[in-house]
Amino acid sequence: MALQRHDEVVLLLGAPGAGKGTQARYLADVLGVPHVASGDLLRENRQRGTQLGRAAQAYMDRGDLVPDDLVVDMIVQRLNAPDAVRGALLDGFPRTLGQSAALEGRLVERGGRVRNAIYVEVPTKVLVERLAGRWMCRECQATYHEEFYPPSSHGTCDSCGGELYQRLDDKREVVANRVNVYLRDTLPVVNCYEQRGILRRIDGNRPIAVVRAALRQALGVTEGVRA
Ligand SMILES: [Zn+2]
């Protein structure tokens, strides 16, 4: 398939822990379009001190959320870059129906659209298991997982011998809440694209290679063929 022009985007939706980040970079590469993550865009704009970045910073300094329209402005600006000539893969946005409306309003103004949406689906229980078992080294920031990637000696970093700790964000109750908030806000977005017939659900609770094959199939791209 392939995106034909600026302003045609593919959305990748999935809860925290669904493995979306890894899959997003892979998919963008296969499609030959940039991987645009809203969190990265916001960080880059603030660091570079762009007009949009400074506007966002002002909200954050007051402890307010950055308005959806401002994030959409950053996305639209990113779509103007030469490497987005055939569109982009959007990762992590929209998360709410309001964001979805803001994004589509701007795309339509420019003659663009959401071409496809993909929802990487993983059972809530599995998401919490994946996220809750993470441990990090205080010294070198290496990460481990108590079940999937344990250190050889409990509580100690394999690479540097540093002490391992669990970030507050990775504690079970906090993780479960984060997942539930995501599902509450984002499932309506998933349903909306599904009703329009442009959403594909992918079972993300399978080995990475199998998920990748399903993603390629969903977007009609064959391995090794650059779109
Ligand atoms: Zn370490």
Side-chain angles (χ1 to χ4, degrees):
M1 88 162 193
L3 303 175
Q4 296 306 317
R5 46 186 308 265
H6 285 290
D7 302 323
E8 268 202 337
V9 298
V10 172
L11 307 179
L12 190 64
L13 308 170
K20 198 169 48 69
T22 318
Q23 302 295 3
R25 277 182 290 277
Y26 170 75
L27 254 196
D29 199 41
V30 165
L31 289 170
V33 299
H35 165 220
V36 177
S38 52
D40 293 346
L41 267 188
L42 186 56
R43 203 165 27 247
E44 279 163 24
N45 274 279
R46 283 164 56 212
Q47 277 167 1
R48 283 173 28 225
T50 65
Q51 199 183 345
L52 293 173
R54 289 198 308 273
Q57 189 67 52
Y59 285 98
M60 296 169 77
D61 288 345
R62 294 196 297 267
D64 291 333
L65 288 174
V66 177
D68 293 341
D69 285 332
L70 193 49
V71 180
V72 170
D73 284 345
M74 290 179 191
I75 292 172
V76 165
Q77 200 172 63
R78 181 66 184 82
L79 291 175
N80 287 335
D83 66 338
V85 68
R86 289 189 302 175
L89 180 77
L90 281 194
D91 171 11
F93 196 93
R95 282 182 76 132
T96 64
L97 282 175
Q99 290 180 350
S100 159
L103 174 68
E104 298 216 33
R106 289 297 298 282
L107 287 178
V108 168
E109 266 169 37
R110 295 158 54 99
R113 63 175 173 150
V114 172
R115 164 142 189 174
N116 286 104
I118 290 186
Y119 179 51
V120 181
E121 207 165 14
V122 173
T124 305
K125 193 168 159 284
V126 177
L127 293 172
V128 174
E129 286 309 312
R130 283 185 186 176
L131 292 167
R134 289 202 297 205
W135 290 78
M136 193 176 274
C137 174
R138 282 194 198 284
E139 306 303 323
C140 74
Q141 274 72 53
T143 56
Y144 297 87
H145 191 282
E146 55 197 26
E147 189 182 343
F148 308 117
Y149 183 55
S152 23
S153 151
H154 180 78
T156 308
C157 177
D158 285 349
S159 357
C160 77
E163 185 197 354
L164 300 182
Y165 73 105
Q166 199 163 30
R167 293 190 321 164
L168 181 60
D169 278 3
D170 294 336
K171 293 200 190 292
R172 197 162 295 267
E173 319 76 71
V174 178
V175 160
N177 185 52
R178 217 163 101 215
V179 169
N180 286 329
V181 167
Y182 180 90
L183 296 174
R184 181 196 68 200
D185 291 345
T186 312
L187 285 183
V189 177
V190 170
N191 294 335
C192 169
Y193 288 120
E194 193 158 50
Q195 278 160 18
R196 280 161 52 183
I198 57 170
L199 180 121
R200 294 287 299 272
R201 286 174 188 264
I202 299 285
D203 176 359
N205 194 22
R206 296 179 293 177
I208 287 183
V210 179
V211 177
R212 287 186 168 177
L215 288 168
R216 286 197 305 272
Q217 198 193 21
L219 290 174
V221 286
T222 22
E223 191 164 19
V225 178
R226 284 288 179 121

